[in-house]
């Protein structure tokens, strides 16, 4: 057992409290990782706001990088000192989803031992709880990373990069010549944009409410930009034609409602950002069936960590994948509420807590 500082949520909507919690020893297949950096994701904020429910007190944080400090029995290829990404994707490796190459939809991920505060359990939310100096997670949640990549940039691979990039590459399988629209040019959207560029998309149209974010979108590979609130169909026809793929990276109901407006016949809109539970969408099903259009979700970019992280690291080493540019500001753990406030205000790309 080990005492660590963590940012604990005791009441939905309230600031996180920096407290000392006690981590369990790593059990079978588990690894204790000392966290170097953890990014603030919109999913953390939705949980903090109570948008998806869950038990309290809880520790959020699921987009991290760190160094292995202890391993439990049954850990195959990680030893103390190894540098790893820490993700929320806990997978058994044996259920039909895992065996079919879809570990993000693992049916039987299991649950590890939880941190404690005195006698009380503190939930390590999303199988992770990385707003802390260290975590105990399953080995399936980890992927090795080299020592020379800066922590604040590396941690974004754990969620923001794989979610946006994976939606384009793994879920939509964008082909050279396709037309893509990416709605929302934040931490996830910019990665969908750079993935569409990597995939050879003919046009990558970024949509956002902020001119500053649209400028960033161009840096990441957007060929065209459109201010949110515009008529999607008219904007696309102005550019030449409707889109083969629309990636909705923001979790807002009205934005999701408008996703099909941008779409060509036989195109598909992908729901990447997750709104609060209970959000209801409004579509015209006749137009979707008449035009043969699809609407589907994608979770964590359908990533397979041990397959996808090595090639993403290689692309980054070659200068073909932007990571450092995704970091807008870094904060120490005791200023995590400032980092959350900056993300909530829509400032920047990824705000990162560096330990
Ligand atoms: Zn996330
Ligand atoms: Zn499984």
């Amino acid at each position: 057992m080990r005492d660590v500082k963590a940012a604990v949520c005791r009441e939905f909507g309230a600031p996180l409290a920096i407290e000392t919690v006690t981590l369990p020893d790593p059990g079978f297949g588990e690894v204790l990782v000392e966290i170097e950096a953890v990014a603030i994701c919109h999913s953390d904020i939705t949980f903090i706001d109570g948008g998806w429910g869950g038990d309290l007190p809880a520790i959020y944080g699921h987009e991290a990088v760190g160094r292995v400090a202890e391993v439990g029995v049954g850990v195959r290829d990680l030893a103390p000192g190894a540098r790893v990404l820490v993700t929320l994707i806990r997978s058994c490796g044996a259920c039909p989803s895992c065996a079919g190459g879809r570990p993000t939809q693992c049916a039987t991920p299991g649950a590890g031992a939880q941190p404690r505060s005195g006698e009380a359990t503190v939930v390590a939310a999303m199988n992770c709880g990385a707003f802390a100096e260290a975590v105990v997670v399953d080995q399936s949640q980890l992927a090795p990373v080299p020592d020379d990549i800066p922590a604040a940039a590396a941690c974004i691979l754990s969620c923001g990069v794989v979610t946006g990039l994976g939606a384009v590459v793994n879920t939509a399988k964008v082909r050279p010549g396709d037309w893509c629209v990416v709605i929302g040019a934040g931490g996830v959207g910019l990665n969908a944009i750079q993935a569409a560029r990597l995939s050879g998309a003919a046009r990558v149209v970024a949509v956002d409410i902020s001119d500053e974010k649209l400028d960033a979108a161009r840096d990441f590979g957007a060929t065209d930009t459109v201010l949110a609130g515009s008529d999607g169909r008219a904007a696309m026809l102005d550019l030449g034609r409707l889109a083969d793929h629309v990636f909705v990276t923001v979790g807002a109901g009205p934005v999701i409602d408008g996703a099909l407006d941008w779409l060509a016949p036989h195109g598909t809109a992908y729901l990447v950002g997750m709104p609060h539970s209970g959000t209801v969408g409004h579509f015209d099903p006749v137009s979707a069936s008449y035009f043969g259009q699809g609407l589907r979700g994608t979770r964590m970019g359908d990533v397979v960590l041990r397959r996808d992280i090595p090639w993403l690291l290689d692309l980054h080493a070659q200068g073909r994948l932007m990571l450092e540019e995704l970091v807008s500001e870094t904060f120490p753990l005791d200023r995590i509420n400032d980092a959350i406030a900056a993300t909530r205000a829509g400032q920047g790309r990824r705000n990162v807590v560096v330990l």
Side-chain angles (χ1 to χ4, degrees):
M1 296 200 293
R2 170 189 295 224
D3 286 344
V4 296
K5 274 202 296 184
V8 179
C9 180
R10 292 200 168 268
E11 182 189 348
F12 290 132
L16 304 181
I18 304 297
E19 301 180 10
T20 299
V21 300
T22 304
L23 291 179
D25 290 326
F28 185 85
E30 289 183 331
V31 178
L32 190 148
V33 181
E34 292 170 350
I35 300 296
E36 294 175 33
V38 54
I40 310 291
C41 174
H42 283 283
S43 295
D44 296 312
I45 294 178
T46 301
F47 268 116
I48 290 168
D49 288 345
W52 292 330
D55 293 329
L56 294 180
I59 306 170
Y60 303 113
H62 61 276
E63 190 167 338
V65 66
R67 210 170 276 281
V68 173
E70 293 175 40
V71 295
V73 292
V75 172
R76 288 187 298 270
D77 61 351
L78 294 168
R83 197 161 187 242
V84 287
L85 294 180
V86 180
T87 77
L88 58 74
I89 305 159
R90 182 178 173 119
S91 55
C92 73
C95 73
S97 290
C98 287
R102 293 182 301 278
T104 60
Q105 300 292 349
C106 177
T108 51
Q114 302 293 304
R116 304 194 72 80
S117 172
E119 291 303 300
T121 296
V122 181
V123 177
M126 295 170 273
N127 302 317
C128 213
F131 289 161
E133 290 175 323
V135 291
V136 173
V137 294
D138 187 76
Q139 61 184 336
S140 63
Q141 298 174 241
L142 305 174
V145 287
D147 287 341
D148 58 358
I149 179 167
C155 70
I156 302 174
L157 281 164
S158 297
C159 174
V161 173
V162 297
T163 299
L165 181 143
V168 171
V169 174
N170 294 333
T171 311
K173 297 184 168 63
V174 168
R175 289 167 45 93
D178 286 353
W179 282 52
C180 296
V181 169
V182 178
I183 301 178
V188 171
L190 291 174
N191 285 297
I193 289 166
Q194 65 174 337
R197 169 163 70 181
L198 284 163
S199 299
R203 292 291 184 104
V204 185
V205 182
V207 183
D208 203 285
I209 51 172
S210 150
D211 280 317
E212 192 190 336
K213 288 194 173 177
L214 291 177
D215 287 343
R218 285 196 176 274
D219 295 339
F220 278 75
T223 57
D224 303 274
T225 57
V226 177
L227 266 180
S230 306
D231 178 333
R233 181 179 169 80
M236 291 309 291
L237 292 176
D238 270 355
L239 291 172
R241 71 170 177 89
L242 294 160
D244 301 298
H245 313 275
V246 176
F247 300 93
V248 185
T249 70
V250 291
V255 180
I256 295 168
D257 283 354
L260 296 182
D261 296 348
W262 308 78
L263 207 56
H266 283 273
T268 301
Y270 298 88
L271 305 183
V272 185
M274 289 166 60
H276 286 208
S277 300
T279 303
V280 175
H282 301 275
F283 300 98
D284 178 354
V286 174
S287 108
S289 57
Y290 184 83
F291 292 114
Q293 293 167 326
L295 178 68
R296 67 166 292 187
T298 162
R299 180 167 189 256
M300 299 298 293
D302 292 330
V303 70
V304 178
L305 290 175
R306 296 290 184 112
R307 178 194 69 192
D308 293 338
I309 297 301
W311 73 264
L312 294 177
L313 288 166
D314 188 30
L315 281 187
H316 175 258
Q318 296 174 50
R320 297 167 64 196
L321 183 79
M322 297 164 75
L323 288 181
E324 286 83 352
E325 297 84 351
L326 290 164
V327 180
S328 40
E329 201 175 344
T330 61
F331 299 80
L333 181 61
D334 57 13
R335 284 190 57 219
I336 189 169
N337 290 306
D338 295 336
I340 291 167
T343 301
R344 208 186 268 285
Q347 289 162 9
R349 302 156 187 191
R350 272 297 198 255
N351 293 292
V352 179
V353 172
V354 176
L355 287 100

